[in-house]
Amino acid sequence: MNEAFLTQLLQAIPLAAVLIGREERILAANDEGRQLLGPAIVGRHFLTAIRHPAVLDAIEASLHDGQQRRTRHLTSQSGKDLTFDVTASRIDLGTGHGVLVCFDDISPVEQAGQMRRDFVANVSHELRTPLTALLGFIETLQGPAKNDTAAQQRFLEIMQREALRMERLVRDLLSLSRVEAEERVRPTTPVDLAAVAGSVLRTLAPLAAENEVTFDYQGPEQGLDVPGDEDQLRQVLTNLVENAIKYGGRGHAVTLRLTPVEMLTAVNGPGLEILVADEGRGIEQVHLPRLTERFYRVDSHRSREMGGTGLGLAIVKHIVTRHRGRLRIDSEPGQGSRFTISLPR
Ligand code: ADP
């Protein structure tokens, strides 16, 4: 079997692959194999070309007894951690034994696993705090505060607040998983966004009054249709306006503006721009790209104090993506924050 034929054969394998042949030298490699191990590995002894102890052990063991070996190989390329599932299989080359080594890049699977573990850890942590508080107060009510009616009243109020926090967290988690499940299906029912905006502002009026915030609505009262899912678009506006009230500062205004746009460059067609702006303390540049990550908060203490779950903007991002729109966040410390959504019409 000549080298050109073997290289062709390796080229057909959809993994990084190298073939070790006579005198334990690399006989052939495909493009992915050369990319992973170096451009000039063909002809070199495998010990100098591969250099990863676990992989070398697998090759030697397979050469020795003819059994296939599997191992893990961790490396990093341009600052990214990569994990490979490596198989070493002895083959008969006619002139002697060789070993085919295949490197299967399982980094995306590993990454997804890590994300899932982080997510579970985050959810558990978020639930544990209110739960610990509840258990503590129950114990106090059963013991030291058994006959103290005034203390009981106070503790029940705190318990209610903590239970409501857990309820909000579970509700947001369910919304997030529902939106994620539907993300591939673009909604098509016409939704009057102006009417939705009016109803969101009416619902949030008591919260605004509590925080001495005034609304500045700029847009028509009705008649701004976009293809969408009404409940989800309501949730987008609610989350953004609620954040603007919470983080916008007492006594300031919150703007909600709806503008039809002839040509949205982001979507290359007609659309609608939604702006939610506040006059609060703003957000530092470094945080902006991470705000839509689940549980990412600039100031965890402040967010929790305001009853936040850290999931609001993650939900917004997923809903906007489902509607094939874009979300842009502009902010500077001291200059307030502007959340702009472009939706195709
Ligand atoms: P939370 O429930 O904590 O409000 P979100 O996902 O809605 O979670 O927001 C994530 C974080 O982004 C918040 O904790 C807050 O630090 C920051 N943030 C969101 N909206 C604003 C805003 N209008 N002004 C300043 N910071 C904001």
Side-chain angles (χ1 to χ4, degrees), residues 172 239-240 243-248 278 280-283 291-293 295-300 303-304 307-315 331 336-337 339:
D172 279 359
N239 289 4
L240 292 182
N243 277 352
I245 297 172
K246 284 191 314 195
Y247 303 108
D278 64 61
R281 64 169 80 166
I283 308 161
L291 286 186
T292 55
E293 286 176 21
F295 299 116
Y296 189 86
R297 296 161 162 124
V298 177
D299 178 347
S300 308
S303 155
R304 291 208 175 86
T309 60
L311 293 173
L313 290 180
I315 295 172
S331 186
S337 307
F339 292 76

PDB file of all heavy atoms in Angstrom, residues 172 239-240 243-248 278 280-283 291-293 295-300 303-304 307-315 331 336-337 339, ligand 1:
ATOM      1  N   ASP A 172     -39.442  31.762  36.312  1.00  0.00           N
ATOM      2  CA  ASP A 172     -38.481  32.189  35.285  1.00  0.00           C
ATOM      3  C   ASP A 172     -37.765  30.984  34.659  1.00  0.00           C
ATOM      4  O   ASP A 172     -37.495  30.971  33.460  1.00  0.00           O
ATOM      5  CB  ASP A 172     -37.446  33.149  35.872  1.00  0.00           C
ATOM      6  CG  ASP A 172     -37.991  34.570  35.962  1.00  0.00           C
ATOM      7  OD1 ASP A 172     -39.150  34.783  35.558  1.00  0.00           O
ATOM      8  OD2 ASP A 172     -37.268  35.467  36.438  1.00  0.00           O
ATOM      9  N   ASN A 239     -40.022  42.536  31.297  1.00  0.00           N
ATOM     10  CA  ASN A 239     -38.691  42.371  31.907  1.00  0.00           C
ATOM     11  C   ASN A 239     -37.848  43.631  31.742  1.00  0.00           C
ATOM     12  O   ASN A 239     -37.184  44.064  32.682  1.00  0.00           O
ATOM     13  CB  ASN A 239     -37.960  41.177  31.284  1.00  0.00           C
ATOM     14  CG  ASN A 239     -38.565  39.852  31.715  1.00  0.00           C
ATOM     15  OD1 ASN A 239     -39.573  39.831  32.409  1.00  0.00           O
ATOM     16  ND2 ASN A 239     -37.968  38.756  31.302  1.00  0.00           N
ATOM     17  N   LEU A 240     -37.873  44.224  30.535  1.00  0.00           N
ATOM     18  CA  LEU A 240     -37.018  45.392  30.302  1.00  0.00           C
ATOM     19  C   LEU A 240     -37.504  46.609  31.083  1.00  0.00           C
ATOM     20  O   LEU A 240     -36.709  47.332  31.696  1.00  0.00           O
ATOM     21  CB  LEU A 240     -36.949  45.718  28.805  1.00  0.00           C
ATOM     22  CG  LEU A 240     -36.214  44.702  27.935  1.00  0.00           C
ATOM     23  CD1 LEU A 240     -36.169  45.176  26.491  1.00  0.00           C
ATOM     24  CD2 LEU A 240     -34.792  44.459  28.442  1.00  0.00           C
ATOM     25  N   ASN A 243     -36.813  46.124  34.805  1.00  0.00           N
ATOM     26  CA  ASN A 243     -35.400  46.402  35.108  1.00  0.00           C
ATOM     27  C   ASN A 243     -35.141  47.902  35.132  1.00  0.00           C
ATOM     28  O   ASN A 243     -34.439  48.405  35.998  1.00  0.00           O
ATOM     29  CB  ASN A 243     -34.481  45.768  34.055  1.00  0.00           C
ATOM     30  CG  ASN A 243     -34.211  44.301  34.347  1.00  0.00           C
ATOM     31  OD1 ASN A 243     -34.579  43.810  35.405  1.00  0.00           O
ATOM     32  ND2 ASN A 243     -33.576  43.621  33.419  1.00  0.00           N
ATOM     33  N   ALA A 244     -35.713  48.606  34.123  1.00  0.00           N
ATOM     34  CA  ALA A 244     -35.487  50.054  34.043  1.00  0.00           C
ATOM     35  C   ALA A 244     -36.031  50.746  35.294  1.00  0.00           C
ATOM     36  O   ALA A 244     -35.431  51.691  35.810  1.00  0.00           O
ATOM     37  CB  ALA A 244     -36.136  50.614  32.776  1.00  0.00           C
ATOM     38  N   ILE A 245     -37.159  50.253  35.807  1.00  0.00           N
ATOM     39  CA  ILE A 245     -37.722  50.838  37.034  1.00  0.00           C
ATOM     40  C   ILE A 245     -36.791  50.504  38.214  1.00  0.00           C
ATOM     41  O   ILE A 245     -36.424  51.364  39.007  1.00  0.00           O
ATOM     42  CB  ILE A 245     -39.146  50.288  37.326  1.00  0.00           C
ATOM     43  CG1 ILE A 245     -40.103  50.671  36.205  1.00  0.00           C
ATOM     44  CG2 ILE A 245     -39.658  50.791  38.672  1.00  0.00           C
ATOM     45  CD1 ILE A 245     -41.490  50.011  36.311  1.00  0.00           C
ATOM     46  N   LYS A 246     -36.387  49.205  38.279  1.00  0.00           N
ATOM     47  CA  LYS A 246     -35.582  48.751  39.424  1.00  0.00           C
ATOM     48  C   LYS A 246     -34.214  49.412  39.475  1.00  0.00           C
ATOM     49  O   LYS A 246     -33.724  49.763  40.537  1.00  0.00           O
ATOM     50  CB  LYS A 246     -35.365  47.221  39.330  1.00  0.00           C
ATOM     51  CG  LYS A 246     -36.584  46.407  39.709  1.00  0.00           C
ATOM     52  CD  LYS A 246     -36.255  44.928  39.864  1.00  0.00           C
ATOM     53  CE  LYS A 246     -35.412  44.331  38.776  1.00  0.00           C
ATOM     54  NZ  LYS A 246     -35.382  42.874  38.749  1.00  0.00           N
ATOM     55  N   TYR A 247     -33.576  49.537  38.300  1.00  0.00           N
ATOM     56  CA  TYR A 247     -32.195  50.033  38.293  1.00  0.00           C
ATOM     57  C   TYR A 247     -32.114  51.493  37.840  1.00  0.00           C
ATOM     58  O   TYR A 247     -31.021  52.043  37.761  1.00  0.00           O
ATOM     59  CB  TYR A 247     -31.317  49.161  37.391  1.00  0.00           C
ATOM     60  CG  TYR A 247     -31.318  47.699  37.795  1.00  0.00           C
ATOM     61  CD1 TYR A 247     -31.982  46.736  37.036  1.00  0.00           C
ATOM     62  CD2 TYR A 247     -30.681  47.281  38.964  1.00  0.00           C
ATOM     63  CE1 TYR A 247     -31.992  45.400  37.414  1.00  0.00           C
ATOM     64  CE2 TYR A 247     -30.693  45.949  39.350  1.00  0.00           C
ATOM     65  CZ  TYR A 247     -31.349  45.012  38.573  1.00  0.00           C
ATOM     66  OH  TYR A 247     -31.367  43.693  38.951  1.00  0.00           O
ATOM     67  N   GLY A 248     -33.245  52.083  37.478  1.00  0.00           N
ATOM     68  CA  GLY A 248     -33.236  53.440  36.906  1.00  0.00           C
ATOM     69  C   GLY A 248     -33.146  54.551  37.941  1.00  0.00           C
ATOM     70  O   GLY A 248     -32.884  55.706  37.597  1.00  0.00           O
ATOM     71  N   ASP A 278     -33.393  54.095  30.527  1.00  0.00           N
ATOM     72  CA  ASP A 278     -33.570  54.649  31.866  1.00  0.00           C
ATOM     73  C   ASP A 278     -32.478  55.681  32.145  1.00  0.00           C
ATOM     74  O   ASP A 278     -31.575  55.868  31.337  1.00  0.00           O
ATOM     75  CB  ASP A 278     -33.540  53.519  32.914  1.00  0.00           C
ATOM     76  CG  ASP A 278     -32.214  52.808  32.968  1.00  0.00           C
ATOM     77  OD1 ASP A 278     -31.204  53.461  33.274  1.00  0.00           O
ATOM     78  OD2 ASP A 278     -32.173  51.585  32.690  1.00  0.00           O
ATOM     79  N   GLY A 280     -30.644  55.677  35.003  1.00  0.00           N
ATOM     80  CA  GLY A 280     -30.003  55.160  36.212  1.00  0.00           C
ATOM     81  C   GLY A 280     -28.493  55.260  36.187  1.00  0.00           C
ATOM     82  O   GLY A 280     -27.922  55.966  35.358  1.00  0.00           O
ATOM     83  N   ARG A 281     -27.867  54.488  37.058  1.00  0.00           N
ATOM     84  CA  ARG A 281     -26.412  54.605  37.189  1.00  0.00           C
ATOM     85  C   ARG A 281     -25.653  53.933  36.048  1.00  0.00           C
ATOM     86  O   ARG A 281     -24.446  54.058  35.948  1.00  0.00           O
ATOM     87  CB  ARG A 281     -25.960  54.053  38.537  1.00  0.00           C
ATOM     88  CG  ARG A 281     -26.224  52.566  38.723  1.00  0.00           C
ATOM     89  CD  ARG A 281     -25.526  52.059  39.952  1.00  0.00           C
ATOM     90  NE  ARG A 281     -26.307  52.388  41.152  1.00  0.00           N
ATOM     91  CZ  ARG A 281     -26.073  51.843  42.335  1.00  0.00           C
ATOM     92  NH1 ARG A 281     -25.075  51.002  42.483  1.00  0.00           N
ATOM     93  NH2 ARG A 281     -26.818  52.139  43.375  1.00  0.00           N
ATOM     94  N   GLY A 282     -26.358  53.223  35.178  1.00  0.00           N
ATOM     95  CA  GLY A 282     -25.711  52.635  33.998  1.00  0.00           C
ATOM     96  C   GLY A 282     -24.910  51.388  34.328  1.00  0.00           C
ATOM     97  O   GLY A 282     -24.867  50.930  35.463  1.00  0.00           O
ATOM     98  N   ILE A 283     -24.293  50.827  33.289  1.00  0.00           N
ATOM     99  CA  ILE A 283     -23.575  49.564  33.432  1.00  0.00           C
ATOM    100  C   ILE A 283     -22.196  49.726  32.796  1.00  0.00           C
ATOM    101  O   ILE A 283     -22.086  50.275  31.694  1.00  0.00           O
ATOM    102  CB  ILE A 283     -24.323  48.427  32.679  1.00  0.00           C
ATOM    103  CG1 ILE A 283     -25.796  48.388  33.102  1.00  0.00           C
ATOM    104  CG2 ILE A 283     -23.675  47.081  32.909  1.00  0.00           C
ATOM    105  CD1 ILE A 283     -26.702  47.661  32.127  1.00  0.00           C
ATOM    106  N   LEU A 291     -24.417  40.253  30.077  1.00  0.00           N
ATOM    107  CA  LEU A 291     -25.682  40.500  30.799  1.00  0.00           C
ATOM    108  C   LEU A 291     -26.778  39.489  30.493  1.00  0.00           C
ATOM    109  O   LEU A 291     -27.624  39.218  31.332  1.00  0.00           O
ATOM    110  CB  LEU A 291     -26.219  41.890  30.461  1.00  0.00           C
ATOM    111  CG  LEU A 291     -25.497  43.071  31.097  1.00  0.00           C
ATOM    112  CD1 LEU A 291     -26.239  44.346  30.784  1.00  0.00           C
ATOM    113  CD2 LEU A 291     -25.361  42.889  32.603  1.00  0.00           C
ATOM    114  N   THR A 292     -26.751  38.915  29.264  1.00  0.00           N
ATOM    115  CA  THR A 292     -27.833  38.002  28.895  1.00  0.00           C
ATOM    116  C   THR A 292     -27.525  36.555  29.292  1.00  0.00           C
ATOM    117  O   THR A 292     -28.309  35.660  29.007  1.00  0.00           O
ATOM    118  CB  THR A 292     -28.136  38.065  27.381  1.00  0.00           C
ATOM    119  OG1 THR A 292     -26.918  37.822  26.694  1.00  0.00           O
ATOM    120  CG2 THR A 292     -28.687  39.399  26.969  1.00  0.00           C
ATOM    121  N   GLU A 293     -26.371  36.325  29.950  1.00  0.00           N
ATOM    122  CA  GLU A 293     -26.097  34.971  30.461  1.00  0.00           C
ATOM    123  C   GLU A 293     -26.994  34.702  31.654  1.00  0.00           C
ATOM    124  O   GLU A 293     -27.267  35.609  32.435  1.00  0.00           O
ATOM    125  CB  GLU A 293     -24.639  34.865  30.946  1.00  0.00           C
ATOM    126  CG  GLU A 293     -23.635  34.815  29.840  1.00  0.00           C
ATOM    127  CD  GLU A 293     -22.204  34.815  30.365  1.00  0.00           C
ATOM    128  OE1 GLU A 293     -21.978  34.465  31.534  1.00  0.00           O
ATOM    129  OE2 GLU A 293     -21.327  35.201  29.583  1.00  0.00           O
ATOM    130  N   PHE A 295     -28.151  33.994  35.169  1.00  0.00           N
ATOM    131  CA  PHE A 295     -27.645  34.297  36.513  1.00  0.00           C
ATOM    132  C   PHE A 295     -26.505  35.303  36.546  1.00  0.00           C
ATOM    133  O   PHE A 295     -25.873  35.472  37.573  1.00  0.00           O
ATOM    134  CB  PHE A 295     -27.223  33.013  37.262  1.00  0.00           C
ATOM    135  CG  PHE A 295     -28.358  32.048  37.465  1.00  0.00           C
ATOM    136  CD1 PHE A 295     -28.351  30.793  36.877  1.00  0.00           C
ATOM    137  CD2 PHE A 295     -29.455  32.405  38.237  1.00  0.00           C
ATOM    138  CE1 PHE A 295     -29.403  29.909  37.050  1.00  0.00           C
ATOM    139  CE2 PHE A 295     -30.513  31.522  38.423  1.00  0.00           C
ATOM    140  CZ  PHE A 295     -30.479  30.282  37.825  1.00  0.00           C
ATOM    141  N   TYR A 296     -26.200  35.949  35.413  1.00  0.00           N
ATOM    142  CA  TYR A 296     -25.153  36.975  35.456  1.00  0.00           C
ATOM    143  C   TYR A 296     -25.735  38.258  36.025  1.00  0.00           C
ATOM    144  O   TYR A 296     -26.750  38.755  35.543  1.00  0.00           O
ATOM    145  CB  TYR A 296     -24.572  37.223  34.069  1.00  0.00           C
ATOM    146  CG  TYR A 296     -23.343  38.112  34.128  1.00  0.00           C
ATOM    147  CD1 TYR A 296     -22.091  37.560  34.357  1.00  0.00           C
ATOM    148  CD2 TYR A 296     -23.453  39.492  34.010  1.00  0.00           C
ATOM    149  CE1 TYR A 296     -20.968  38.362  34.459  1.00  0.00           C
ATOM    150  CE2 TYR A 296     -22.330  40.306  34.116  1.00  0.00           C
ATOM    151  CZ  TYR A 296     -21.095  39.729  34.340  1.00  0.00           C
ATOM    152  OH  TYR A 296     -19.989  40.533  34.446  1.00  0.00           O
ATOM    153  N   ARG A 297     -25.115  38.781  37.061  1.00  0.00           N
ATOM    154  CA  ARG A 297     -25.575  40.040  37.642  1.00  0.00           C
ATOM    155  C   ARG A 297     -24.385  40.943  37.859  1.00  0.00           C
ATOM    156  O   ARG A 297     -23.307  40.466  38.210  1.00  0.00           O
ATOM    157  CB  ARG A 297     -26.224  39.795  38.996  1.00  0.00           C
ATOM    158  CG  ARG A 297     -27.487  38.956  38.953  1.00  0.00           C
ATOM    159  CD  ARG A 297     -27.701  38.431  40.329  1.00  0.00           C
ATOM    160  NE  ARG A 297     -29.059  37.962  40.545  1.00  0.00           N
ATOM    161  CZ  ARG A 297     -29.312  36.727  40.958  1.00  0.00           C
ATOM    162  NH1 ARG A 297     -28.328  35.887  41.171  1.00  0.00           N
ATOM    163  NH2 ARG A 297     -30.556  36.362  41.172  1.00  0.00           N
ATOM    164  N   VAL A 298     -24.592  42.246  37.659  1.00  0.00           N
ATOM    165  CA  VAL A 298     -23.505  43.197  37.893  1.00  0.00           C
ATOM    166  C   VAL A 298     -23.293  43.309  39.401  1.00  0.00           C
ATOM    167  O   VAL A 298     -22.172  43.265  39.889  1.00  0.00           O
ATOM    168  CB  VAL A 298     -23.849  44.570  37.290  1.00  0.00           C
ATOM    169  CG1 VAL A 298     -22.758  45.579  37.606  1.00  0.00           C
ATOM    170  CG2 VAL A 298     -24.065  44.438  35.791  1.00  0.00           C
ATOM    171  N   ASP A 299     -24.388  43.446  40.120  1.00  0.00           N
ATOM    172  CA  ASP A 299     -24.311  43.609  41.569  1.00  0.00           C
ATOM    173  C   ASP A 299     -25.320  42.622  42.177  1.00  0.00           C
ATOM    174  O   ASP A 299     -26.510  42.920  42.259  1.00  0.00           O
ATOM    175  CB  ASP A 299     -24.651  45.073  41.894  1.00  0.00           C
ATOM    176  CG  ASP A 299     -24.637  45.339  43.392  1.00  0.00           C
ATOM    177  OD1 ASP A 299     -24.613  44.366  44.180  1.00  0.00           O
ATOM    178  OD2 ASP A 299     -24.657  46.524  43.760  1.00  0.00           O
ATOM    179  N   SER A 300     -24.812  41.453  42.579  1.00  0.00           N
ATOM    180  CA  SER A 300     -25.722  40.386  43.020  1.00  0.00           C
ATOM    181  C   SER A 300     -26.560  40.824  44.209  1.00  0.00           C
ATOM    182  O   SER A 300     -27.754  40.541  44.279  1.00  0.00           O
ATOM    183  CB  SER A 300     -24.938  39.156  43.445  1.00  0.00           C
ATOM    184  OG  SER A 300     -24.059  38.797  42.473  1.00  0.00           O
ATOM    185  N   SER A 303     -29.318  43.135  43.075  1.00  0.00           N
ATOM    186  CA  SER A 303     -30.317  42.414  42.287  1.00  0.00           C
ATOM    187  C   SER A 303     -31.238  41.607  43.205  1.00  0.00           C
ATOM    188  O   SER A 303     -32.461  41.624  43.051  1.00  0.00           O
ATOM    189  CB  SER A 303     -29.617  41.488  41.286  1.00  0.00           C
ATOM    190  OG  SER A 303     -30.449  40.415  40.937  1.00  0.00           O
ATOM    191  N   ARG A 304     -30.632  40.874  44.173  1.00  0.00           N
ATOM    192  CA  ARG A 304     -31.450  40.043  45.063  1.00  0.00           C
ATOM    193  C   ARG A 304     -32.355  40.909  45.917  1.00  0.00           C
ATOM    194  O   ARG A 304     -33.506  40.583  46.159  1.00  0.00           O
ATOM    195  CB  ARG A 304     -30.555  39.195  45.959  1.00  0.00           C
ATOM    196  CG  ARG A 304     -29.829  38.148  45.172  1.00  0.00           C
ATOM    197  CD  ARG A 304     -29.502  36.926  45.985  1.00  0.00           C
ATOM    198  NE  ARG A 304     -28.909  35.940  45.103  1.00  0.00           N
ATOM    199  CZ  ARG A 304     -27.620  35.895  44.803  1.00  0.00           C
ATOM    200  NH1 ARG A 304     -26.797  36.743  45.349  1.00  0.00           N
ATOM    201  NH2 ARG A 304     -27.172  34.994  43.969  1.00  0.00           N
ATOM    202  N   GLY A 307     -35.379  41.728  44.355  1.00  0.00           N
ATOM    203  CA  GLY A 307     -36.209  40.575  44.003  1.00  0.00           C
ATOM    204  C   GLY A 307     -35.843  39.958  42.671  1.00  0.00           C
ATOM    205  O   GLY A 307     -36.619  39.191  42.101  1.00  0.00           O
ATOM    206  N   GLY A 308     -34.655  40.264  42.133  1.00  0.00           N
ATOM    207  CA  GLY A 308     -34.268  39.756  40.810  1.00  0.00           C
ATOM    208  C   GLY A 308     -33.853  38.291  40.860  1.00  0.00           C
ATOM    209  O   GLY A 308     -33.364  37.809  41.875  1.00  0.00           O
ATOM    210  N   THR A 309     -34.047  37.597  39.732  1.00  0.00           N
ATOM    211  CA  THR A 309     -33.647  36.186  39.656  1.00  0.00           C
ATOM    212  C   THR A 309     -32.365  36.021  38.836  1.00  0.00           C
ATOM    213  O   THR A 309     -31.780  34.947  38.828  1.00  0.00           O
ATOM    214  CB  THR A 309     -34.743  35.346  38.960  1.00  0.00           C
ATOM    215  OG1 THR A 309     -34.918  35.872  37.626  1.00  0.00           O
ATOM    216  CG2 THR A 309     -36.045  35.390  39.705  1.00  0.00           C
ATOM    217  N   GLY A 310     -31.972  37.078  38.111  1.00  0.00           N
ATOM    218  CA  GLY A 310     -30.795  36.955  37.250  1.00  0.00           C
ATOM    219  C   GLY A 310     -31.105  36.243  35.942  1.00  0.00           C
ATOM    220  O   GLY A 310     -30.207  35.908  35.185  1.00  0.00           O
ATOM    221  N   LEU A 311     -32.397  36.017  35.663  1.00  0.00           N
ATOM    222  CA  LEU A 311     -32.770  35.287  34.448  1.00  0.00           C
ATOM    223  C   LEU A 311     -33.512  36.165  33.436  1.00  0.00           C
ATOM    224  O   LEU A 311     -33.716  35.765  32.299  1.00  0.00           O
ATOM    225  CB  LEU A 311     -33.658  34.085  34.805  1.00  0.00           C
ATOM    226  CG  LEU A 311     -32.983  32.977  35.598  1.00  0.00           C
ATOM    227  CD1 LEU A 311     -34.000  31.924  36.031  1.00  0.00           C
ATOM    228  CD2 LEU A 311     -31.887  32.315  34.773  1.00  0.00           C
ATOM    229  N   GLY A 312     -33.925  37.376  33.885  1.00  0.00           N
ATOM    230  CA  GLY A 312     -34.779  38.232  33.056  1.00  0.00           C
ATOM    231  C   GLY A 312     -34.213  38.499  31.671  1.00  0.00           C
ATOM    232  O   GLY A 312     -34.906  38.326  30.656  1.00  0.00           O
ATOM    233  N   LEU A 313     -32.938  38.904  31.601  1.00  0.00           N
ATOM    234  CA  LEU A 313     -32.373  39.253  30.292  1.00  0.00           C
ATOM    235  C   LEU A 313     -32.059  38.014  29.460  1.00  0.00           C
ATOM    236  O   LEU A 313     -32.094  38.069  28.231  1.00  0.00           O
ATOM    237  CB  LEU A 313     -31.115  40.117  30.465  1.00  0.00           C
ATOM    238  CG  LEU A 313     -31.365  41.539  30.979  1.00  0.00           C
ATOM    239  CD1 LEU A 313     -30.055  42.302  31.125  1.00  0.00           C
ATOM    240  CD2 LEU A 313     -32.305  42.305  30.046  1.00  0.00           C
ATOM    241  N   ALA A 314     -31.784  36.884  30.129  1.00  0.00           N
ATOM    242  CA  ALA A 314     -31.572  35.633  29.376  1.00  0.00           C
ATOM    243  C   ALA A 314     -32.876  35.269  28.655  1.00  0.00           C
ATOM    244  O   ALA A 314     -32.869  34.869  27.491  1.00  0.00           O
ATOM    245  CB  ALA A 314     -31.147  34.513  30.312  1.00  0.00           C
ATOM    246  N   ILE A 315     -34.011  35.445  29.355  1.00  0.00           N
ATOM    247  CA  ILE A 315     -35.316  35.152  28.744  1.00  0.00           C
ATOM    248  C   ILE A 315     -35.562  36.105  27.574  1.00  0.00           C
ATOM    249  O   ILE A 315     -35.967  35.685  26.481  1.00  0.00           O
ATOM    250  CB  ILE A 315     -36.442  35.264  29.804  1.00  0.00           C
ATOM    251  CG1 ILE A 315     -36.250  34.167  30.869  1.00  0.00           C
ATOM    252  CG2 ILE A 315     -37.822  35.175  29.174  1.00  0.00           C
ATOM    253  CD1 ILE A 315     -37.176  34.283  32.070  1.00  0.00           C
ATOM    254  N   SER A 331     -24.726  51.307  27.263  1.00  0.00           N
ATOM    255  CA  SER A 331     -24.765  51.942  28.574  1.00  0.00           C
ATOM    256  C   SER A 331     -23.390  52.469  28.938  1.00  0.00           C
ATOM    257  O   SER A 331     -22.380  51.986  28.435  1.00  0.00           O
ATOM    258  CB  SER A 331     -25.218  50.944  29.623  1.00  0.00           C
ATOM    259  OG  SER A 331     -25.381  51.599  30.857  1.00  0.00           O
ATOM    260  N   GLY A 336     -27.156  56.198  32.314  1.00  0.00           N
ATOM    261  CA  GLY A 336     -28.346  55.382  32.093  1.00  0.00           C
ATOM    262  C   GLY A 336     -28.069  54.236  31.135  1.00  0.00           C
ATOM    263  O   GLY A 336     -26.944  54.073  30.660  1.00  0.00           O
ATOM    264  N   SER A 337     -29.106  53.428  30.866  1.00  0.00           N
ATOM    265  CA  SER A 337     -28.932  52.272  29.977  1.00  0.00           C
ATOM    266  C   SER A 337     -30.010  52.292  28.900  1.00  0.00           C
ATOM    267  O   SER A 337     -31.130  52.741  29.146  1.00  0.00           O
ATOM    268  CB  SER A 337     -29.069  50.965  30.764  1.00  0.00           C
ATOM    269  OG  SER A 337     -28.214  50.980  31.864  1.00  0.00           O
ATOM    270  N   PHE A 339     -31.786  49.716  26.083  1.00  0.00           N
ATOM    271  CA  PHE A 339     -31.960  48.366  25.521  1.00  0.00           C
ATOM    272  C   PHE A 339     -32.775  48.521  24.240  1.00  0.00           C
ATOM    273  O   PHE A 339     -33.912  48.986  24.288  1.00  0.00           O
ATOM    274  CB  PHE A 339     -32.698  47.457  26.515  1.00  0.00           C
ATOM    275  CG  PHE A 339     -31.866  47.146  27.741  1.00  0.00           C
ATOM    276  CD1 PHE A 339     -31.687  48.086  28.747  1.00  0.00           C
ATOM    277  CD2 PHE A 339     -31.259  45.914  27.878  1.00  0.00           C
ATOM    278  CE1 PHE A 339     -30.908  47.806  29.866  1.00  0.00           C
ATOM    279  CE2 PHE A 339     -30.482  45.617  28.977  1.00  0.00           C
ATOM    280  CZ  PHE A 339     -30.306  46.573  29.979  1.00  0.00           C
TER     281      PHE A 339
HETATM  282  P1  ADP B   1     -32.157  40.514  37.536  1.00  0.00           P
HETATM  283  O1  ADP B   1     -33.246  39.595  37.942  1.00  0.00           O
HETATM  284  O2  ADP B   1     -30.944  40.409  38.409  1.00  0.00           O
HETATM  285  O3  ADP B   1     -32.606  41.903  37.291  1.00  0.00           O
HETATM  286  P2  ADP B   1     -31.677  40.353  34.666  1.00  0.00           P
HETATM  287  O4  ADP B   1     -31.282  39.188  33.823  1.00  0.00           O
HETATM  288  O5  ADP B   1     -32.927  41.038  34.337  1.00  0.00           O
HETATM  289  O6  ADP B   1     -31.634  39.853  36.160  1.00  0.00           O
HETATM  290  O7  ADP B   1     -30.498  41.402  34.607  1.00  0.00           O
HETATM  291  C1  ADP B   1     -29.166  40.965  34.814  1.00  0.00           C
HETATM  292  C2  ADP B   1     -28.340  42.071  35.436  1.00  0.00           C
HETATM  293  O8  ADP B   1     -28.185  43.147  34.509  1.00  0.00           O
HETATM  294  C3  ADP B   1     -28.973  42.699  36.664  1.00  0.00           C
HETATM  295  O9  ADP B   1     -28.646  41.987  37.822  1.00  0.00           O
HETATM  296  C4  ADP B   1     -28.357  44.085  36.662  1.00  0.00           C
HETATM  297  O10 ADP B   1     -27.093  44.041  37.288  1.00  0.00           O
HETATM  298  C5  ADP B   1     -28.124  44.383  35.175  1.00  0.00           C
HETATM  299  N1  ADP B   1     -29.183  45.252  34.616  1.00  0.00           N
HETATM  300  C6  ADP B   1     -30.273  44.873  33.927  1.00  0.00           C
HETATM  301  N2  ADP B   1     -31.006  45.924  33.519  1.00  0.00           N
HETATM  302  C7  ADP B   1     -30.347  47.021  33.966  1.00  0.00           C
HETATM  303  C8  ADP B   1     -30.582  48.443  33.879  1.00  0.00           C
HETATM  304  N3  ADP B   1     -31.660  48.936  33.243  1.00  0.00           N
HETATM  305  N4  ADP B   1     -29.668  49.266  34.472  1.00  0.00           N
HETATM  306  C9  ADP B   1     -28.591  48.775  35.103  1.00  0.00           C
HETATM  307  N5  ADP B   1     -28.320  47.465  35.219  1.00  0.00           N
HETATM  308  C10 ADP B   1     -29.177  46.601  34.658  1.00  0.00           C
END
